[in-house]
Amino acid sequence: MHRIYNFSAGPAVLPVPVLEEASQAILEIGGSGMSILEVSHRGKQYDPIHAAAMENALKVLNLSPEEYAVILLGGGASTQFTLLPMNFLAAGETADYVDAGEWGAKALKEAKAYGTVNVAGSSSGTKYDRLPTPLNFSPRGAARYAHITTNNTIEGTQYLELPDANGAPLTSDMSSDIFAVNHDFSRFALLYAGAQKNAGAAGVTLIVVRRDFLATAKKDLPPMFSYALQADKESLYNTPPVFSVYVFNLVMQWIQAQGGVAAMEARNREKAALIYDALDAAPEFWSPAVAVKANRSLMNITFRLRDESLTDAFLSEAKVNQMDGLKGHRNVGGFRASVYNAFPGEGCAALAQLLTDFARRKG
Ligand SMILES: *Cc1c(COP(=O)(O)O)cnc(C)c1O
């Protein structure tokens, strides 16, 4: 198998053992004479996979099934921007939102259709080049929930420490750093993540919700949009994204075999440091996009050339060196190296080397 260094922001690189096992399962799953793509979502091939995916997700997050429910849905993280307020926010109620990036801004906008939004902090004035400070959450007891984005995929900032939301139930879009940072996940009332960045293939979205918070959700919702109903039906109200759930479960097993989220975080810190160190060593040549070092993402490393006329030259050298996906998001430009859990350390070392060499030769 030919592999390049795939820095894509999402869908993104997967662990090779996961790809190998999934490719086998596409031909035949568990001696059944059928492909994983061909089996019933209510049959004996899929049943244990579905249950294991939910169980393993909680295990990896160090949460108990008594306290937390897992929901696996289609629709992506973007659908949760709507479902979260649809389920939990009513007219006359307030939700706190932190506006730290394009994705969080979209979530915030959706919530406004359901209730009052208190913008607890925003860094839009500096083009999201840092996490907003200070954060002004509603007084204790006043907010229905607070919403953050733990990793701002487009801009390259990340909460490595969770903010204190004055006791409001903390909810988060963790699409690009779920399972990458060893948070105390019991601090979340609800978290969600599309699988395609750090947790598998596109098509399934993970929602983890504390059962006592879920019990306060609105009841009169269309069934497909009701977190309570989906949890009650164990995400089998209709056909789940079978193959994506299967791959998600393989990734859960892979993370456990690697030593869990704590081991992931330790590796992610080392990997990101290789690249940031190379950028910081040539400040007259490279310009990291995030203004505050402590806010730098371990997942999405955003940077620019001081002399942008060298952009194409750099990208073509990256290509020669078997690197792909380094172009920044179309809205922000520059470069972005996405180095999620499954991205190999050697790829980070190779990019660091290229950054250093390129600066030496062209600077
Ligand atoms: C990619 C991304 C999204 C969008 O995810 P979809 O699954 O495409 O809806 C939302 N939030 C964050 C933080 C992301 O990185």
Side-chain angles (χ1 to χ4, degrees):
M1 183 170 38
H2 167 64
R3 300 282 285 169
I4 64 163
Y5 293 129
N6 174 10
F7 290 94
S8 167
V13 63
L14 284 164
V16 171
V18 167
L19 296 176
E20 285 171 339
E21 195 163 342
S23 63
Q24 280 306 309
I26 285 186
L27 296 175
E28 184 179 4
I29 183 85
S32 64
M34 295 180 281
S35 163
I36 181 69
L37 303 176
E38 299 173 317
V39 296
S40 165
H41 63 293
R42 303 191 195 277
K44 75 168 194 252
Q45 295 304 326
Y46 181 67
D47 265 357
I49 293 168
H50 191 83
M54 297 187 162
E55 251 178 62
N56 284 326
L58 289 181
K59 254 189 220 159
V60 171
L61 296 171
N62 200 18
L63 296 173
S64 82
E66 288 73 35
E67 266 186 288
Y68 282 85
V70 176
I71 305 171
L72 300 168
L73 297 180
S78 300
T79 300
Q80 313 320 310
F81 296 166
T82 305
L83 293 191
L84 174 65
M86 185 190 279
N87 278 261
F88 290 102
L89 188 63
E93 293 176 339
T94 298
D96 288 349
Y97 275 73
V98 175
D99 176 32
E102 275 191 42
W103 290 118
K106 281 193 172 151
L108 186 162
K109 188 163 167 244
E110 295 291 319
K112 284 183 175 166
Y114 295 90
T116 303
V117 170
N118 168 45
V119 180
S122 175
S123 49
S124 70
T126 54
K127 296 197 174 146
Y128 302 122
D129 69 343
R130 68 198 73 191
L131 295 172
T133 48
L135 292 178
N136 297 304
F137 290 103
S138 294
R140 190 160 287 272
R144 186 69 177 87
Y145 62 83
H147 181 275
I148 62 171
T149 311
T150 41
N151 184 69
N152 296 291
T153 323
I154 296 173
E155 299 83 2
T157 59
Q158 185 175 27
Y159 281 104
L160 294 169
E161 306 287 337
L162 300 175
D164 175 3
N166 275 348
L170 185 62
T171 71
S172 184
D173 177 359
M174 305 190 83
S175 292
S176 51
D177 71 345
I178 182 82
F179 309 124
V181 176
N182 196 24
H183 293 296
D184 172 2
F185 291 96
S186 72
R187 291 204 35 207
F188 293 102
L190 183 149
L191 63 85
Y192 60 91
Q196 69 271 22
K197 284 157 187 151
N198 219 10
V204 66
T205 309
L206 170 74
I207 298 120
V208 177
V209 52
R210 215 172 56 217
R211 292 185 187 277
D212 62 359
F213 183 59
L214 183 59
T216 69
K218 287 183 237 168
K219 303 280 184 270
D220 53 344
L221 298 172
M224 283 298 288
F225 301 157
S226 164
Y227 286 141
L229 180 131
Q230 293 284 6
D232 190 47
K233 301 288 182 197
E234 306 205 310
S235 309
L236 286 166
Y237 176 77
N238 74 330
T239 316
V242 168
F243 182 68
S244 300
V245 173
Y246 169 77
V247 174
F248 173 79
N249 187 45
L250 293 182
V251 173
M252 293 304 96
Q253 292 169 350
W254 178 80
I255 291 174
Q256 288 172 292
Q258 301 298 302
V261 179
M264 288 286 125
E265 177 178 339
R267 282 189 49 202
N268 290 332
R269 284 183 182 275
E270 288 172 15
K271 282 156 50 185
L274 291 171
I275 298 170
Y276 283 121
D277 286 351
L279 294 169
D280 289 340
E284 68 301 327
F285 193 81
W286 296 111
S287 156
V290 174
V292 178
K293 275 195 186 181
N295 295 167
R296 287 174 168 180
S297 171
L298 304 179
M299 302 277 97
N300 309 98
I301 298 166
T302 49
F303 57 99
R304 293 177 176 281
L305 275 160
R306 299 250 175 227
D307 175 1
E308 296 208 315
S309 73
L310 293 171
T311 297
D312 290 345
F314 178 69
L315 287 174
S316 58
E317 287 204 23
K319 194 170 173 203
V320 170
N321 285 279
Q322 305 283 301
M323 298 174 191
D324 188 55
L326 284 167
K327 227 176 162 155
H329 188 276
R330 62 189 181 280
N331 293 357
V332 299
F335 304 104
R336 171 173 54 173
S338 299
V339 292
Y340 301 118
N341 283 352
F343 190 90
E346 310 85 76
C348 294
L351 176 59
Q353 187 68 52
L354 179 62
L355 292 168
T356 304
D357 286 353
F358 193 77
R360 213 170 272 154
R361 279 184 282 111
K362 310 275 183 181

